[in-house]
Amino acid sequence: MTMTAATSRPATEVAARIRFSALYAQAERFYTRQLDLTRAADAAALAATFAPGTAPAGPDPSPGTRYWIGKLEIHPDGEATLRTRCSILSRPAAPGPGSLRVTVVEDVLTRFDDDWLVTDRRVLRDLPL
């Protein structure tokens, strides 16, 4: 019988992975909340997810439209800043040819108290498929 030795990871690496996983989960919850507000066409609440002086941008709010986060990348930049990139897929309630849209956004999320706000957003693509 052959035994495989388990390699242990240094505690600092494990702590860094746990911290990254927690930040990823926070970013995922942030975008889920933004998409729920977009689906509800709640412009005031959606605008409140952006820092003062930052213009809201992204998929057009539309009741009945379904939204999904297609891909989310996060890059921590210090303790209170995340640089993110995500694909947002949307389909109206009555889909037809070319109705699936893909919006790619790059954000700078900054922590304010216990929440994240968009302090910079760049919409890269908003294409019908």
Side-chain angles (χ1 to χ4, degrees):
M1 180 194 290
T2 305
M3 299 287 287
T4 304
T7 58
S8 62
R9 296 179 187 216
T12 54
E13 182 181 336
V14 171
R17 287 177 182 246
I18 290 170
R19 183 175 182 285
F20 182 85
S21 294
L23 289 172
Y24 188 91
Q26 290 173 30
E28 194 170 48
R29 280 192 302 273
F30 173 83
Y31 286 109
T32 299
R33 189 176 88 233
Q34 263 201 338
L35 292 179
D36 286 345
L37 295 170
T38 301
R39 182 180 304 110
D42 189 341
L46 184 59
T49 66
F50 289 79
T54 306
D60 292 329
S62 177
T65 297
R66 298 177 65 187
Y67 299 90
W68 298 272
I69 300 170
K71 181 178 180 184
L72 173 61
E73 300 172 24
I74 71 164
H75 304 279
D77 189 9
E79 291 297 315
T81 304
L82 293 176
R83 297 189 178 279
T84 66
R85 178 183 172 104
C86 72
S87 301
I88 301 167
L89 295 102
S90 61
R91 179 179 298 267
S99 63
L100 180 65
R101 295 187 72 81
V102 178
T103 304
V104 177
V105 297
E106 289 183 345
D107 286 339
V108 176
L109 302 181
T110 304
R111 186 185 305 273
F112 289 88
D113 297 323
D114 291 335
D115 203 4
W116 296 95
L117 296 178
V118 177
T119 52
D120 186 48
R121 173 166 283 179
R122 194 172 107 167
V123 177
L124 301 176
R125 279 192 303 264
D126 189 7
L127 302 172
L129 295 179

